[in-house]
Amino acid sequence: MSKISIRDNLLRVEENIESALIASGRNKDDITLVGVTKTVDADSINEAISYGIENIGENKVQEIMDKYDKINKNVNWHMIGHLQTNKVKYIIDKVDLIHSLDRMSLAKEINKRAKSESIIKDVLIQVNIAEEVTKFGLKKEEVIPFIESILDFKNIRVKGLMTIAPFSENPEEVRFVFRDLRNLGYEIEKKNYENLEMKYFSMGMTNDYKVAIEEGANIVRIGTAIFGKRVY
Ligand SMILES: *Cc1c(COP(=O)(O)O)cnc(C)c1O
């Protein structure tokens, strides 16, 4: 991937995001672009940062550990992948937002590790709207009981919801996923839980971010459209 193409790709993605926001009557700054950097080397990530990327997302603890010291410090890290309980300790002081809280054992561990660092960790709850067996996340109807069971965890702050839509050639087919997640957010907001904000809706990837934005995404996680096809 040459310099020019990361820059051009990023510009194109930013233009698309802006037009989707404007088309849906939203403020053009009402979104956070997370550049998904899994498998991307540190030089390319730093290059993207030099073009204005302020948030990067990784899905593996090991990759965060390997890259952390090589990446420009002026960037926020997002843990977007499945998080093993025994690895929380390695990233608790490195990531700004964990998108993948999906079970009690993980909530307990994040709370415990955050407490020992004297910090409050911002998290999103991952919801498996389409109930795909291959994906992690709580089922829709499990989310409110789960939230209520962690309300007194002092070192975790729930900031919103995250979902991954099933892959589809036609993103219109997964519009309901984004709409359902946003509606679940409204339902949770109405409960007026203390110290809990439905501020972020992390939804939309390369294939479907325009539809996700139209349905209220304010964090999009985009890898391929910026860095090119991943080579594993
Ligand atoms: C890989 C990944 C993305 C980005 O996917 P692209 O299709 O490359 O944009 C977004 N979210 C999660 C959770 C991912 O694992």
Side-chain angles (χ1 to χ4, degrees):
M1 187 91 340
S2 74
K3 280 186 175 153
I4 298 300
S5 58
I6 291 179
R7 183 167 56 194
D8 287 355
N9 289 348
L10 184 58
L11 280 173
R12 199 171 328 114
V13 167
E14 286 169 342
E15 280 169 15
N16 289 340
I17 289 174
E18 193 176 320
S19 49
L21 284 168
I22 291 168
S24 41
R26 293 172 56 192
N27 189 312
K28 68 185 173 67
D29 304 318
D30 176 29
I31 206 152
T32 299
L33 167 61
V34 173
V36 175
T37 51
K38 59 193 190 200
T39 76
V40 177
D41 61 66
D43 286 346
S44 303
I45 299 173
N46 284 325
E47 195 186 311
I49 293 170
S50 79
Y51 304 141
I53 281 266
E54 293 172 346
N55 293 272
I56 58 174
E58 289 282 350
N59 68 337
K60 292 207 173 78
V61 167
Q62 189 59 51
E63 246 183 285
I64 296 175
M65 308 275 288
D66 292 345
K67 292 174 189 171
Y68 194 76
D69 287 330
K70 300 179 190 147
I71 301 299
N72 188 312
K73 292 287 165 259
N74 300 323
V75 77
N76 300 313
W77 288 76
H78 296 250
M79 176 60 194
I80 62 173
H82 180 64
L83 181 52
Q84 282 175 267
T85 306
N86 63 356
K87 292 187 175 163
V88 171
K89 57 181 177 286
Y90 301 120
I91 55 138
I92 191 75
D93 60 337
K94 295 185 175 62
V95 303
D96 297 278
L97 182 63
I98 296 170
H99 293 227
S100 46
L101 177 57
D102 61 355
R103 61 196 189 280
M104 181 52 89
S105 58
L106 182 58
K108 282 184 179 158
E109 181 66 12
I110 295 171
N111 192 53
K112 176 178 138 190
R113 296 291 171 181
K115 188 171 182 196
S116 66
E117 296 279 329
S118 305
I119 56 174
I120 296 172
K121 188 51 57 185
D122 288 346
V123 301
L124 306 180
I125 294 175
Q126 182 170 352
V127 192
N128 187 357
I129 296 281
E131 299 193 13
E132 286 180 283
V133 288
T134 53
K135 294 222 170 85
F136 292 100
L138 293 169
K139 290 183 187 164
K140 236 187 324 189
E141 64 273 16
E142 294 171 332
V143 173
I144 288 178
F146 179 71
I147 284 179
E148 292 182 345
S149 70
I150 62 167
L151 279 177
D152 61 346
F153 286 26
K154 298 274 180 290
N155 295 77
I156 289 186
R157 198 176 287 139
V158 175
K159 289 285 202 179
L161 306 174
M162 177 271 220
T163 196
I164 304 171
F167 177 82
S168 170
E169 292 292 341
N170 176 6
E172 285 299 332
E173 283 171 7
V174 294
R175 183 181 287 277
F176 77 95
V177 170
F178 308 126
R179 187 169 292 174
D180 280 8
L181 193 78
R182 189 64 192 83
N183 283 336
L184 179 59
Y186 289 126
E187 212 180 304
I188 296 166
E189 266 166 17
K190 277 196 239 141
K191 305 252 179 197
N192 278 316
Y193 299 119
E194 223 176 299
N195 296 322
L196 184 146
E197 236 183 326
M198 280 293 113
K199 183 175 181 185
Y200 296 120
F201 294 88
S202 169
M203 51 189 195
M205 309 177 16
T206 292
N207 195 52
D208 53 25
Y209 66 94
K210 286 183 229 168
V211 172
I213 292 169
E214 287 165 13
E215 295 299 332
N218 55 12
I219 298 181
V220 287
R221 311 177 307 266
I222 301 178
T224 310
I226 299 171
F227 296 102
K229 219 168 155 42
R230 282 180 289 277
V231 202
Y232 287 96

